[in-house]
Amino acid sequence: MPSEVTGSLSPLEESMGRAAASADWFVHDRFGMFIHWGLYALPARHEWMRYFEETPDDVYHRYFQHFDPDLYDPEHWAAMAADAGMKYVVITSKHHDGFCLWDSKLTDYKATNTPAGRDLLKPLVEAFRARGLRVGFYHSLLDWHHPHFLIDENHPLRNHPDRDKLNKARDQKQYTEYLHGQARELLTDFGRIDIMFYDFSYPRRDEQGRPQPWLGKGREEWESEKLLQMTRELQPHILVNDRLDLIEQGGWDYRTPEQYVPREGVTMDGKPVLWEACHTFSGSWGYHRDETTWKSADQLVQLLSDTVSKGGNLLLNVGPTARGEFDHRAVERLQVMGEWMSRHSRAVYGCTRAPDEFTSPRDCRLTHDPEKRRLYVHVFAWPFKHLHLDGMAGKVKYAQLLHDGSEVKMIEGGPGDVAGPVEQQERAGLLTLELPIRKPEVTVPVVEVFLK
Ligand code: GLC
């Protein structure tokens, strides 16, 4: 979170405070669905496919001409997200290819002009809201389709022989105006929006610190401060991610580690900040037919436990198909996660990193509900019979397995009577939980510990 501010505040700083005050739901809910859906679902080989293959506009156009998601059922998507225990959704209004899912007044490059023939975003927003999920937009700062977006090193035409000539005819300012105009539409026409996930900045500056927009782009090119201010004016409670190139300026509400697990909770200047890790089921965000590196359901549940144990949120991505369905591999995994969440959400919602006085037993993660004063031990590798909680003797009222509410017996000190002097010393303050021999039939078993 932006550093503490004293004295007079700039409008940007003032609005940051307001947003931070409305972050309670975000910290409570912990688990959201990311959706990457657009024309790249047709080639089905990564949402950056146009970049990798350096595809010219006229060739990429074939996907625009064939985008016909006849099986699209946003109510069903929302049901799958809710059943998985997800509490919010962040959907790509536009990705880097520039294609818009909604009926933007500022472009023809939108779903209404494809065989889909309709606004695909509005019904999604309505369906998820009807299920009680909060709604956020992922909006790409890059745009590979817009005629005034200066071709840079992240552009499909970066190696085009006439690149410099093409760039001469481009006026980045006009693109920036379009970007702001579209953000205004998204933040005006869809009711309450809780998250804006702008993506992304890659500033390049010369030795004098001057921006080099034909190489990279950042806060100067996007006019990020202005964009952020407008975002907050239109939706004062909104949370904005950290990719506008305004990190040092404090123009962000939460950090977004992508496709990796931070070792500890995320901090800035030594203080914990809001953060949300985003992950794919496999490597690509858009639907990728032939990708095989899918995480197992066990890994995904562990990812959620691990993230919350470090005080973060998990935004887990689905890349729906060109017909408008969730990939069966995603459906299977969401079901396992939902099954787990149906009995373990208490160890996720309202939970965070446990205070330092509690040390996690080996192969476990701790989450903590400070309001209910409960500690949750997520057991990643089932031990033989005993789980040792150091320094916890005398601090616990009761313990149970969370999935079935069955008592877990507690022994003060360690089990057995064969102990040397070292072990005896270590037993001071030790609380040992007595587990069943067999691991329960649960993806990640959790022991619920009621603190005194
Ligand atoms: C990256 C990628 C993008 C993906 C996003 C998700 O910035 O460019 O394809 O949408 O991360 O966080």
Side-chain angles (χ1 to χ4, degrees), residues 34 36 46-48 95-96 138 197 199-200 243 258 278 285:
F34 217 173
H36 277 67
H46 206 284
E47 77 284 354
W48 275 68
H95 203 262
H96 307 333
Y138 164 109
F197 194 119
D199 194 45
F200 63 91
R243 299 189 183 177
E258 176 179 323
C278 49
W285 298 88

Side-chain angles (χ1 to χ4, degrees), residues 37-39 64 67 92-95 97-114 118-121 139 143 145 178 182 185-186:
W37 196 39
L39 297 184
F64 185 84
F67 185 54
T92 47
S93 41
K94 175 193 90 166
H95 203 262
D97 66 359
F99 176 71
C100 299
L101 283 182
W102 84 103
D103 190 12
S104 171
K105 312 254 170 334
L106 303 174
T107 185
D108 293 333
Y109 202 51
K110 55 185 175 184
T112 45
N113 293 332
T114 65
R118 63 198 192 280
D119 182 325
L120 299 171
L121 195 56
H139 195 69
D143 196 312
H145 180 77
Y178 170 77
Q182 286 208 317
E185 283 186 353
L186 290 167

